[in-house]
Amino acid sequence: MYARQNGDVIESVLGLTPSSPIPELRGLRPMLKHLSQTSYAAALEPEEPCNFSRAERAALAARMAAAWRCEELATHYRARMVAEGGGEAEAALADPAWSPPAPAGRLAAVLRHADLVTLKPKSATRADIEALKASGLDERDIVALSGLIAFVNYQIVLVAGLRLLRDH
Amino acid sequence: MQDPVLDFTTDPLDWRPHIIPVDLAGATPEQLDAMKVTPSNKGVSPYVLVLAHEPDMLRERTPLFNEIMYGEGGLSRAGRELGALGASVVNHCVFCASVHAARYIQQARKPEIVAEIFENGAKADLPLEEQALFDFAVDITTDPMSVTSYHLHHLRNMGLSDLEIVDLIHAVAIFGWANRLMHTLGEPHRKG
């Protein structure tokens, strides 16, 4: 049902070979591995991307991974952004140091929210959702954006933890 | 309007969304399927009704969450709940912390652990085994790239197998996900 990314993203970004113990451990949790991958497809490669194109989703994911200094995932998502046809506009927002010249509007609101909920979710309040609405996002857009941010942050913790096991 | 609950509590809470949930009566077949609504199961929480705006994501997320937290074997249920609590304390998801504190107490029968965590947050002073699990959850949530071989050593010293550590990583990670939805898309209120 989705145009799926080839292979398991976690194993690919961690550079895991069959001789590494991690694929074997994950093999003992086949549902977790499978559903992590189908969740990736739902967040990054939805059939109906609605108001967030696949390239924009990949760029936002790259921005979140880079904000946490998770280079493996940032590299993966930057490549994915290019593969989805992302150009200069997407490349700019994939850089966590970049902010849009216009401080108002949809893009500024989306980036502000992605940065806040990635790095300081505890500081988020109702006002942050109101700001997204004021910038023109509807309920579905807000859930799509929140779901993408939440999924990528799940993946970052997973990569950080599994990398530790891979290396020690 | 009543104020939201801002401090950690084991009291049962209601979650009220900041956005309009899907109207169950008007839900699409795709949304009903993702919400697992059947003629015999019509009880759907406001949280699930909010997430049903994106049914493709919800359909994968629910079984993933359940398998991570309640799947057979590996790390104890209490251990997973402690990982969930560590993440929820750092991300200050009062609703998640309340639900999973209650489940932790149900499993471990150690209300004093939750009392210490709610009193001192990420700096909670716990018995060695609980401390190892909780600190791993707190540190990887605070900064995923900050965890080191020291954390792993600590967990293995407590007798955790690598498979149990994989389970713990998933439990903490899925709360990095759940907290970012629950704490941002709505807020907790006292029941009633």
Side-chain angles (χ1 to χ4, degrees), chain B residues 3-190:
Chain B
D3 289 332
V5 179
L6 300 176
D7 295 322
F8 293 120
T9 175
T10 47
D11 295 345
L13 301 171
D14 276 330
W15 185 82
R16 296 197 199 152
H18 297 323
I19 66 168
I20 301 165
V22 166
D23 171 21
L24 193 53
T28 65
E30 228 199 342
Q31 289 172 331
L32 292 172
D33 176 56
M35 290 187 284
K36 302 278 177 281
V37 174
T38 61
S40 62
N41 176 26
K42 289 182 177 158
V44 184
S45 69
Y47 177 59
V48 168
L49 285 165
V50 162
L51 299 186
H53 281 295
E54 274 290 324
D56 285 355
M57 283 197 211
L58 178 61
R59 190 182 305 106
E60 309 308 324
R61 199 203 81 95
T62 307
L64 177 59
F65 181 94
N66 289 336
E67 189 66 24
I68 288 174
M69 294 308 289
Y70 314 118
E72 292 284 311
L75 183 62
S76 67
R77 285 271 315 271
R80 299 180 214 192
E81 297 293 355
L82 200 52
L85 262 180
S88 302
V89 163
V90 171
N91 293 330
H92 208 81
C93 186
V94 170
F95 188 90
C96 299
S98 156
V99 170
H100 294 278
R103 294 204 179 140
Y104 173 78
I105 292 170
Q106 197 179 47
Q107 292 292 323
R109 308 267 163 216
K110 290 180 183 168
E112 68 278 11
I113 298 284
V114 168
E116 169 62 19
I117 290 172
F118 282 2
E119 175 74 24
N120 290 309
K123 294 190 173 65
D125 185 11
L126 305 172
L128 281 178
E129 187 176 345
E130 285 85 358
Q131 191 84 62
L133 291 158
F134 183 74
D135 285 353
F136 178 79
V138 162
D139 291 346
I140 202 167
T141 301
T142 304
D143 181 352
M145 298 304 125
S146 73
V147 288
T148 64
S149 58
Y150 171 80
H151 289 90
L152 212 49
H153 179 71
H154 213 38
L155 291 168
R156 285 173 174 154
N157 260 359
M158 290 301 122
L160 263 72
S161 69
D162 281 6
L163 184 59
E164 288 172 317
I165 294 171
V166 167
D167 291 340
L168 177 64
I169 292 166
H170 279 92
V172 180
I174 198 72
F175 275 81
W177 183 336
N179 295 159
R180 280 178 176 83
L181 295 175
M182 211 113 203
H183 179 65
T184 68
L185 291 172
E187 60 196 17
H189 287 262
R190 298 216 178 271

Side-chain angles (χ1 to χ4, degrees), chain A residues 1-2 4 22 25-26 28-29 31-36 38-39 42-43 46-50 57 68-72 113 117-127 129-130 133 139-151 153-165 168, chain B residues 1 16-21 30 50-57 59-61 63-65 67-68 72-75 80 89-92 136 140-149 151-152 156 162-167 169-170 172-181 183-187 189:
Chain A
M1 99 180 257
Y2 299 104
R4 289 208 166 107
I22 307 299
L25 285 168
R26 291 186 80 223
L28 296 170
R29 295 283 181 265
M31 289 303 285
L32 304 192
K33 182 176 165 176
H34 172 72
L35 292 165
S36 295
T38 55
S39 292
E47 272 184 25
E48 301 169 43
C50 296
R57 287 167 190 254
W68 278 128
R69 311 175 317 282
C70 183
E71 280 315 312
E72 298 97 326
H113 198 69
V117 176
T118 293
L119 294 174
K120 276 202 142 287
K122 70 182 280 188
S123 304
T125 67
R126 172 188 282 270
I129 296 297
E130 297 302 333
K133 289 182 193 167
E139 327 292 308
R140 181 169 188 175
D141 293 337
I142 292 171
V143 174
L145 175 64
S146 303
L148 175 67
I149 297 168
F151 169 75
N153 278 280
Y154 161 80
Q155 212 187 15
I156 291 166
V157 171
L158 208 51
V159 165
L162 293 175
R163 183 173 65 179
L164 203 54
L165 277 175
H168 302 280
Chain B
M1 206 173 84
R16 296 197 199 152
H18 297 323
I19 66 168
I20 301 165
E30 228 199 342
V50 162
L51 299 186
H53 281 295
E54 274 290 324
D56 285 355
M57 283 197 211
R59 190 182 305 106
E60 309 308 324
R61 199 203 81 95
L64 177 59
F65 181 94
E67 189 66 24
I68 288 174
E72 292 284 311
L75 183 62
R80 299 180 214 192
V89 163
V90 171
N91 293 330
H92 208 81
F136 178 79
I140 202 167
T141 301
T142 304
D143 181 352
M145 298 304 125
S146 73
V147 288
T148 64
S149 58
H151 289 90
L152 212 49
R156 285 173 174 154
D162 281 6
L163 184 59
E164 288 172 317
I165 294 171
V166 167
D167 291 340
I169 292 166
H170 279 92
V172 180
I174 198 72
F175 275 81
W177 183 336
N179 295 159
R180 280 178 176 83
L181 295 175
H183 179 65
T184 68
L185 291 172
E187 60 196 17
H189 287 262

Side-chain angles (χ1 to χ4, degrees), chain A residues 91-138:
Chain A
L93 59 100
D95 175 2
W98 185 85
S99 56
R106 175 190 179 274
L107 184 59
V110 165
L111 292 186
R112 192 190 156 276
H113 198 69
D115 292 347
L116 173 74
V117 176
T118 293
L119 294 174
K120 276 202 142 287
K122 70 182 280 188
S123 304
T125 67
R126 172 188 282 270
D128 298 300
I129 296 297
E130 297 302 333
L132 291 176
K133 289 182 193 167
S135 80
L137 269 64
D138 67 15

